[in-house]
Amino acid sequence: MAVDTWAANFTAPFEVDKLLEVRMSGMKKMPGLNVNTGIDKKICDGPMKIGKLGLEGDWHDLTFHGGPDKAILGYCSSHYENWKTSYPERAEKFVPGGFGENFVTSHMNERNVCIGDIIAFGPEVQLQVSLPRQPCFKLNHRFSLKNFAPVTYQTSRTGWYYRVVREGTVNAGDEIRLVERKWPQWTIERIQEYLHRDKDNLEMNKQIAEIEALGEESRGQFRNRVAKAGKKKTPKKEDKWVDYKIVQRKMETKRIVGLSLECVNPDPEAELPLLGAHARLKLPNGLIRTYSVVSSGDSVMEMKDKFELGIALEENSRGGSRYLHETAKVGDIIQVGRITTDVNPAGSASNHLFIAGGIGITAFLALMRAMLSINWSCQLHYAIRSADDIPFLERLDAFKDNVVFYDKSKGERMDIHSIIKNMLWNSHVYACGPNRMMDAVKNAVEECGIPPNEVHYEAFAADISGDPFEVEIANKGGRVLKVGEDESLLDVLRRDYPDVASSCEVGNCGTCKLSVRSGRVDHRGTALLPEEKDSAMLSCVSRGIGRIVVEV
């Protein structure tokens, strides 16, 4: 759709419509989930009062719904026939009220309703169009269709929100009239074009960020894009090592130490922290190691400047965990290169299933806390050595109803295959633990036919050792490097090419992926899809066999 034709060719306003149905609901559990929702709205008989926050007696999950900008949700009933055609197997579900709308109309739609429109409903009530709806996983679950929510905004059939301009009473059958149209070029559909489909159009982002009537949820997104585009981007070089001080040290268990680190000279321009993050540390003994971030403070500002780690003392430590256990103390300075993440929370999933063992819990504590804070459905299956070997127990207590423990000292065993086989519909799996556990998860996922994009593996250690091999760098003049039995290809490459990208360095994320021109590879890690293994490798963990040719 050509941008420069929008203003001249926008859809004519609807002018007059009819309020077919008025709907409202209380809060109730979604089928099969421990998640409250107000989406199941029923037809209201008789006159209904509307206040500043919407229909009196209507309930919302206030995490993402409700409030002045989202007082009333409207939806066009003619969309339902189109949905039935697209999804005939779910035809019985596509009926008015299916999207959780308060107002059902027949002619108003995303192509003839504009942001800022002031609309009269009957003789008393006036509402202003404030926002396009941004659907979440609840629509997927309601219609039993995976990844349905993105289809609704890709096709601009989401519905839209109103704020209340004038309170009063409405009835089904009331006439709907357009009172004022101040932004005729900004239909709901056009806003969605730049909100979801053409996100990098800076010119349009700037224009939309100036629309006063646009609700903050969407307007804030456009303002953030403009601000981000305005920051100077510099090419990524070597890690910028930043000094952090150890401000607290606590033995969580006999073999796991918790360390809180605080930035010595905080950067006010630093980006907000990431969920499921890991920090790359340069230790005073010269070693560089990556560890999962357990938490990042309790407030946004604190999260930017402070984080916490949990480190288990490895039996065969190569020096990293042993240094942090036996030498590091409060007041010491440790350099942090970067804090990154390879976890992408699956927003379309109905449920989030975590499988962890031992110290692997550190990868998921902050992520689970964040998910539960926005009322996502989560379960954690956690294998422990014993009751006194659980790190950060007080964090787990905060959502203990979502945790199942398996205590090895009591002979309890986690049946991973059964967990995967019987997990809730549309679940996303996140796994972190020892190699034996990770292998069991991979086998169960394959046997149960779970697609690779519905599973995230977060290894906290990696075996990089193996037979020595040679690597020819095809795009660097055919230079040949030798990789020893106890070093990774990434380590060797960085001696001569320090800008080689990486992140987790245990095979989770794929940042260090290289193209393989020829030769055999011993593939390790989980970041490559099966079809990628013929032409790529993970330089942080995988090893060549004999001699290989790659491109950096």
mmCIF file with all atom_site columns, all heavy atoms in Angstrom, residues 151-165:
data_model
loop_
_atom_site.group_PDB
_atom_site.id
_atom_site.type_symbol
_atom_site.label_atom_id
_atom_site.label_alt_id
_atom_site.label_comp_id
_atom_site.label_asym_id
_atom_site.label_entity_id
_atom_site.label_seq_id
_atom_site.pdbx_PDB_ins_code
_atom_site.Cartn_x
_atom_site.Cartn_y
_atom_site.Cartn_z
_atom_site.occupancy
_atom_site.B_iso_or_equiv
_atom_site.pdbx_formal_charge
_atom_site.auth_seq_id
_atom_site.auth_comp_id
_atom_site.auth_asym_id
_atom_site.auth_atom_id
_atom_site.pdbx_PDB_model_num
ATOM 1   N N   . VAL A 1 151 ? -2.557  -12.638 13.033 1.00 0.00 ? 151 VAL A N   1
ATOM 2   C CA  . VAL A 1 151 ? -3.357  -12.564 11.805 1.00 0.00 ? 151 VAL A CA  1
ATOM 3   C C   . VAL A 1 151 ? -4.382  -11.440 11.904 1.00 0.00 ? 151 VAL A C   1
ATOM 4   O O   . VAL A 1 151 ? -4.682  -10.770 10.919 1.00 0.00 ? 151 VAL A O   1
ATOM 5   C CB  . VAL A 1 151 ? -4.057  -13.912 11.530 1.00 0.00 ? 151 VAL A CB  1
ATOM 6   C CG1 . VAL A 1 151 ? -4.940  -13.831 10.278 1.00 0.00 ? 151 VAL A CG1 1
ATOM 7   C CG2 . VAL A 1 151 ? -3.027  -15.024 11.356 1.00 0.00 ? 151 VAL A CG2 1
ATOM 8   N N   . THR A 1 152 ? -4.896  -11.205 13.106 1.00 0.00 ? 152 THR A N   1
ATOM 9   C CA  . THR A 1 152 ? -5.928  -10.184 13.255 1.00 0.00 ? 152 THR A CA  1
ATOM 10  C C   . THR A 1 152 ? -5.394  -8.784  12.980 1.00 0.00 ? 152 THR A C   1
ATOM 11  O O   . THR A 1 152 ? -6.098  -7.961  12.394 1.00 0.00 ? 152 THR A O   1
ATOM 12  C CB  . THR A 1 152 ? -6.558  -10.230 14.663 1.00 0.00 ? 152 THR A CB  1
ATOM 13  O OG1 . THR A 1 152 ? -5.590  -9.835  15.650 1.00 0.00 ? 152 THR A OG1 1
ATOM 14  C CG2 . THR A 1 152 ? -7.072  -11.617 14.993 1.00 0.00 ? 152 THR A CG2 1
ATOM 15  N N   . TYR A 1 153 ? -4.146  -8.500  13.408 1.00 0.00 ? 153 TYR A N   1
ATOM 16  C CA  . TYR A 1 153 ? -3.641  -7.159  13.104 1.00 0.00 ? 153 TYR A CA  1
ATOM 17  C C   . TYR A 1 153 ? -2.978  -7.090  11.734 1.00 0.00 ? 153 TYR A C   1
ATOM 18  O O   . TYR A 1 153 ? -2.907  -6.015  11.131 1.00 0.00 ? 153 TYR A O   1
ATOM 19  C CB  . TYR A 1 153 ? -2.739  -6.606  14.207 1.00 0.00 ? 153 TYR A CB  1
ATOM 20  C CG  . TYR A 1 153 ? -1.525  -7.399  14.613 1.00 0.00 ? 153 TYR A CG  1
ATOM 21  C CD1 . TYR A 1 153 ? -0.431  -7.514  13.784 1.00 0.00 ? 153 TYR A CD1 1
ATOM 22  C CD2 . TYR A 1 153 ? -1.460  -7.997  15.877 1.00 0.00 ? 153 TYR A CD2 1
ATOM 23  C CE1 . TYR A 1 153 ? 0.700   -8.215  14.168 1.00 0.00 ? 153 TYR A CE1 1
ATOM 24  C CE2 . TYR A 1 153 ? -0.324  -8.695  16.275 1.00 0.00 ? 153 TYR A CE2 1
ATOM 25  C CZ  . TYR A 1 153 ? 0.747   -8.804  15.419 1.00 0.00 ? 153 TYR A CZ  1
ATOM 26  O OH  . TYR A 1 153 ? 1.866   -9.496  15.807 1.00 0.00 ? 153 TYR A OH  1
ATOM 27  N N   . GLN A 1 154 ? -2.514  -8.211  11.212 1.00 0.00 ? 154 GLN A N   1
ATOM 28  C CA  . GLN A 1 154 ? -1.984  -8.206  9.855  1.00 0.00 ? 154 GLN A CA  1
ATOM 29  C C   . GLN A 1 154 ? -3.091  -7.932  8.833  1.00 0.00 ? 154 GLN A C   1
ATOM 30  O O   . GLN A 1 154 ? -2.842  -7.346  7.779  1.00 0.00 ? 154 GLN A O   1
ATOM 31  C CB  . GLN A 1 154 ? -1.304  -9.542  9.555  1.00 0.00 ? 154 GLN A CB  1
ATOM 32  C CG  . GLN A 1 154 ? 0.014   -9.731  10.297 1.00 0.00 ? 154 GLN A CG  1
ATOM 33  C CD  . GLN A 1 154 ? 0.459   -11.183 10.374 1.00 0.00 ? 154 GLN A CD  1
ATOM 34  O OE1 . GLN A 1 154 ? -0.184  -12.074 9.812  1.00 0.00 ? 154 GLN A OE1 1
ATOM 35  N NE2 . GLN A 1 154 ? 1.547   -11.431 11.081 1.00 0.00 ? 154 GLN A NE2 1
ATOM 36  N N   . THR A 1 155 ? -4.306  -8.341  9.155  1.00 0.00 ? 155 THR A N   1
ATOM 37  C CA  . THR A 1 155 ? -5.451  -8.118  8.270  1.00 0.00 ? 155 THR A CA  1
ATOM 38  C C   . THR A 1 155 ? -6.330  -6.965  8.744  1.00 0.00 ? 155 THR A C   1
ATOM 39  O O   . THR A 1 155 ? -7.377  -6.703  8.148  1.00 0.00 ? 155 THR A O   1
ATOM 40  C CB  . THR A 1 155 ? -6.311  -9.394  8.187  1.00 0.00 ? 155 THR A CB  1
ATOM 41  O OG1 . THR A 1 155 ? -6.736  -9.771  9.507  1.00 0.00 ? 155 THR A OG1 1
ATOM 42  C CG2 . THR A 1 155 ? -5.535  -10.539 7.570  1.00 0.00 ? 155 THR A CG2 1
ATOM 43  N N   . SER A 1 156 ? -5.912  -6.273  9.795  1.00 0.00 ? 156 SER A N   1
ATOM 44  C CA  . SER A 1 156 ? -6.655  -5.144  10.366 1.00 0.00 ? 156 SER A CA  1
ATOM 45  C C   . SER A 1 156 ? -8.107  -5.517  10.658 1.00 0.00 ? 156 SER A C   1
ATOM 46  O O   . SER A 1 156 ? -9.058  -4.862  10.210 1.00 0.00 ? 156 SER A O   1
ATOM 47  C CB  . SER A 1 156 ? -6.587  -3.928  9.429  1.00 0.00 ? 156 SER A CB  1
ATOM 48  O OG  . SER A 1 156 ? -5.283  -3.418  9.384  1.00 0.00 ? 156 SER A OG  1
ATOM 49  N N   . ARG A 1 157 ? -8.263  -6.576  11.446 1.00 0.00 ? 157 ARG A N   1
ATOM 50  C CA  . ARG A 1 157 ? -9.595  -6.979  11.916 1.00 0.00 ? 157 ARG A CA  1
ATOM 51  C C   . ARG A 1 157 ? -9.514  -7.218  13.427 1.00 0.00 ? 157 ARG A C   1
ATOM 52  O O   . ARG A 1 157 ? -9.913  -8.261  13.930 1.00 0.00 ? 157 ARG A O   1
ATOM 53  C CB  . ARG A 1 157 ? -10.086 -8.230  11.183 1.00 0.00 ? 157 ARG A CB  1
ATOM 54  C CG  . ARG A 1 157 ? -10.527 -7.965  9.751  1.00 0.00 ? 157 ARG A CG  1
ATOM 55  C CD  . ARG A 1 157 ? -11.062 -9.217  9.090  1.00 0.00 ? 157 ARG A CD  1
ATOM 56  N NE  . ARG A 1 157 ? -10.002 -10.038 8.538  1.00 0.00 ? 157 ARG A NE  1
ATOM 57  C CZ  . ARG A 1 157 ? -10.177 -11.274 8.068  1.00 0.00 ? 157 ARG A CZ  1
ATOM 58  N NH1 . ARG A 1 157 ? -11.358 -11.850 8.118  1.00 0.00 ? 157 ARG A NH1 1
ATOM 59  N NH2 . ARG A 1 157 ? -9.160  -11.947 7.565  1.00 0.00 ? 157 ARG A NH2 1
ATOM 60  N N   . THR A 1 158 ? -8.999  -6.241  14.132 1.00 0.00 ? 158 THR A N   1
ATOM 61  C CA  . THR A 1 158 ? -8.751  -6.386  15.564 1.00 0.00 ? 158 THR A CA  1
ATOM 62  C C   . THR A 1 158 ? -9.851  -5.797  16.438 1.00 0.00 ? 158 THR A C   1
ATOM 63  O O   . THR A 1 158 ? -10.038 -6.212  17.578 1.00 0.00 ? 158 THR A O   1
ATOM 64  C CB  . THR A 1 158 ? -7.458  -5.646  15.945 1.00 0.00 ? 158 THR A CB  1
ATOM 65  O OG1 . THR A 1 158 ? -7.602  -4.268  15.585 1.00 0.00 ? 158 THR A OG1 1
ATOM 66  C CG2 . THR A 1 158 ? -6.254  -6.234  15.242 1.00 0.00 ? 158 THR A CG2 1
ATOM 67  N N   . GLY A 1 159 ? -10.556 -4.801  15.925 1.00 0.00 ? 159 GLY A N   1
ATOM 68  C CA  . GLY A 1 159 ? -11.402 -3.969  16.756 1.00 0.00 ? 159 GLY A CA  1
ATOM 69  C C   . GLY A 1 159 ? -10.626 -2.765  17.249 1.00 0.00 ? 159 GLY A C   1
ATOM 70  O O   . GLY A 1 159 ? -9.430  -2.607  16.960 1.00 0.00 ? 159 GLY A O   1
ATOM 71  N N   . TRP A 1 160 ? -11.309 -1.886  18.009 1.00 0.00 ? 160 TRP A N   1
ATOM 72  C CA  . TRP A 1 160 ? -10.679 -0.661  18.466 1.00 0.00 ? 160 TRP A CA  1
ATOM 73  C C   . TRP A 1 160 ? -11.304 -0.236  19.796 1.00 0.00 ? 160 TRP A C   1
ATOM 74  O O   . TRP A 1 160 ? -12.402 -0.662  20.161 1.00 0.00 ? 160 TRP A O   1
ATOM 75  C CB  . TRP A 1 160 ? -10.837 0.461   17.438 1.00 0.00 ? 160 TRP A CB  1
ATOM 76  C CG  . TRP A 1 160 ? -12.269 0.748   17.103 1.00 0.00 ? 160 TRP A CG  1
ATOM 77  C CD1 . TRP A 1 160 ? -13.093 1.664   17.685 1.00 0.00 ? 160 TRP A CD1 1
ATOM 78  C CD2 . TRP A 1 160 ? -13.068 0.071   16.114 1.00 0.00 ? 160 TRP A CD2 1
ATOM 79  N NE1 . TRP A 1 160 ? -14.344 1.617   17.136 1.00 0.00 ? 160 TRP A NE1 1
ATOM 80  C CE2 . TRP A 1 160 ? -14.362 0.646   16.165 1.00 0.00 ? 160 TRP A CE2 1
ATOM 81  C CE3 . TRP A 1 160 ? -12.819 -0.948  15.187 1.00 0.00 ? 160 TRP A CE3 1
ATOM 82  C CZ2 . TRP A 1 160 ? -15.395 0.222   15.324 1.00 0.00 ? 160 TRP A CZ2 1
ATOM 83  C CZ3 . TRP A 1 160 ? -13.854 -1.365  14.367 1.00 0.00 ? 160 TRP A CZ3 1
ATOM 84  C CH2 . TRP A 1 160 ? -15.121 -0.785  14.430 1.00 0.00 ? 160 TRP A CH2 1
ATOM 85  N N   . TYR A 1 161 ? -10.567 0.618   20.505 1.00 0.00 ? 161 TYR A N   1
ATOM 86  C CA  . TYR A 1 161 ? -11.017 1.088   21.812 1.00 0.00 ? 161 TYR A CA  1
ATOM 87  C C   . TYR A 1 161 ? -11.562 2.514   21.725 1.00 0.00 ? 161 TYR A C   1
ATOM 88  O O   . TYR A 1 161 ? -11.174 3.298   20.848 1.00 0.00 ? 161 TYR A O   1
ATOM 89  C CB  . TYR A 1 161 ? -9.870  1.071   22.813 1.00 0.00 ? 161 TYR A CB  1
ATOM 90  C CG  . TYR A 1 161 ? -9.504  -0.300  23.310 1.00 0.00 ? 161 TYR A CG  1
ATOM 91  C CD1 . TYR A 1 161 ? -8.335  -0.929  22.884 1.00 0.00 ? 161 TYR A CD1 1
ATOM 92  C CD2 . TYR A 1 161 ? -10.312 -0.968  24.231 1.00 0.00 ? 161 TYR A CD2 1
ATOM 93  C CE1 . TYR A 1 161 ? -7.981  -2.180  23.357 1.00 0.00 ? 161 TYR A CE1 1
ATOM 94  C CE2 . TYR A 1 161 ? -9.967  -2.228  24.707 1.00 0.00 ? 161 TYR A CE2 1
ATOM 95  C CZ  . TYR A 1 161 ? -8.803  -2.828  24.267 1.00 0.00 ? 161 TYR A CZ  1
ATOM 96  O OH  . TYR A 1 161 ? -8.459  -4.060  24.731 1.00 0.00 ? 161 TYR A OH  1
ATOM 97  N N   . TYR A 1 162 ? -12.427 2.829   22.708 1.00 0.00 ? 162 TYR A N   1
ATOM 98  C CA  . TYR A 1 162 ? -12.938 4.182   22.894 1.00 0.00 ? 162 TYR A CA  1
ATOM 99  C C   . TYR A 1 162 ? -12.603 4.685   24.291 1.00 0.00 ? 162 TYR A C   1
ATOM 100 O O   . TYR A 1 162 ? -12.565 3.906   25.251 1.00 0.00 ? 162 TYR A O   1
ATOM 101 C CB  . TYR A 1 162 ? -14.467 4.225   22.793 1.00 0.00 ? 162 TYR A CB  1
ATOM 102 C CG  . TYR A 1 162 ? -15.084 3.772   21.500 1.00 0.00 ? 162 TYR A CG  1
ATOM 103 C CD1 . TYR A 1 162 ? -15.558 2.472   21.353 1.00 0.00 ? 162 TYR A CD1 1
ATOM 104 C CD2 . TYR A 1 162 ? -15.259 4.664   20.446 1.00 0.00 ? 162 TYR A CD2 1
ATOM 105 C CE1 . TYR A 1 162 ? -16.177 2.060   20.190 1.00 0.00 ? 162 TYR A CE1 1
ATOM 106 C CE2 . TYR A 1 162 ? -15.885 4.267   19.264 1.00 0.00 ? 162 TYR A CE2 1
ATOM 107 C CZ  . TYR A 1 162 ? -16.339 2.962   19.141 1.00 0.00 ? 162 TYR A CZ  1
ATOM 108 O OH  . TYR A 1 162 ? -16.958 2.557   17.980 1.00 0.00 ? 162 TYR A OH  1
ATOM 109 N N   . ARG A 1 163 ? -12.439 5.994   24.408 1.00 0.00 ? 163 ARG A N   1
ATOM 110 C CA  . ARG A 1 163 ? -12.484 6.668   25.708 1.00 0.00 ? 163 ARG A CA  1
ATOM 111 C C   . ARG A 1 163 ? -13.825 7.404   25.798 1.00 0.00 ? 163 ARG A C   1
ATOM 112 O O   . ARG A 1 163 ? -14.415 7.743   24.764 1.00 0.00 ? 163 ARG A O   1
ATOM 113 C CB  . ARG A 1 163 ? -11.305 7.631   25.873 1.00 0.00 ? 163 ARG A CB  1
ATOM 114 C CG  . ARG A 1 163 ? -11.253 8.775   24.892 1.00 0.00 ? 163 ARG A CG  1
ATOM 115 C CD  . ARG A 1 163 ? -10.137 9.769   25.226 1.00 0.00 ? 163 ARG A CD  1
ATOM 116 N NE  . ARG A 1 163 ? -8.814  9.154   25.148 1.00 0.00 ? 163 ARG A NE  1
ATOM 117 C CZ  . ARG A 1 163 ? -8.052  9.148   24.042 1.00 0.00 ? 163 ARG A CZ  1
ATOM 118 N NH1 . ARG A 1 163 ? -8.510  9.707   22.911 1.00 0.00 ? 163 ARG A NH1 1
ATOM 119 N NH2 . ARG A 1 163 ? -6.861  8.605   24.042 1.00 0.00 ? 163 ARG A NH2 1
ATOM 120 N N   . VAL A 1 164 ? -14.277 7.645   26.999 1.00 0.00 ? 164 VAL A N   1
ATOM 121 C CA  . VAL A 1 164 ? -15.598 8.250   27.198 1.00 0.00 ? 164 VAL A CA  1
ATOM 122 C C   . VAL A 1 164 ? -15.475 9.768   27.246 1.00 0.00 ? 164 VAL A C   1
ATOM 123 O O   . VAL A 1 164 ? -14.744 10.322  28.075 1.00 0.00 ? 164 VAL A O   1
ATOM 124 C CB  . VAL A 1 164 ? -16.251 7.719   28.490 1.00 0.00 ? 164 VAL A CB  1
ATOM 125 C CG1 . VAL A 1 164 ? -17.603 8.401   28.726 1.00 0.00 ? 164 VAL A CG1 1
ATOM 126 C CG2 . VAL A 1 164 ? -16.428 6.199   28.409 1.00 0.00 ? 164 VAL A CG2 1
ATOM 127 N N   . VAL A 1 165 ? -16.203 10.453  26.358 1.00 0.00 ? 165 VAL A N   1
ATOM 128 C CA  . VAL A 1 165 ? -16.249 11.908  26.322 1.00 0.00 ? 165 VAL A CA  1
ATOM 129 C C   . VAL A 1 165 ? -17.439 12.420  27.122 1.00 0.00 ? 165 VAL A C   1
ATOM 130 O O   . VAL A 1 165 ? -17.325 13.375  27.898 1.00 0.00 ? 165 VAL A O   1
ATOM 131 C CB  . VAL A 1 165 ? -16.327 12.414  24.860 1.00 0.00 ? 165 VAL A CB  1
ATOM 132 C CG1 . VAL A 1 165 ? -16.483 13.939  24.812 1.00 0.00 ? 165 VAL A CG1 1
ATOM 133 C CG2 . VAL A 1 165 ? -15.100 11.967  24.076 1.00 0.00 ? 165 VAL A CG2 1
#
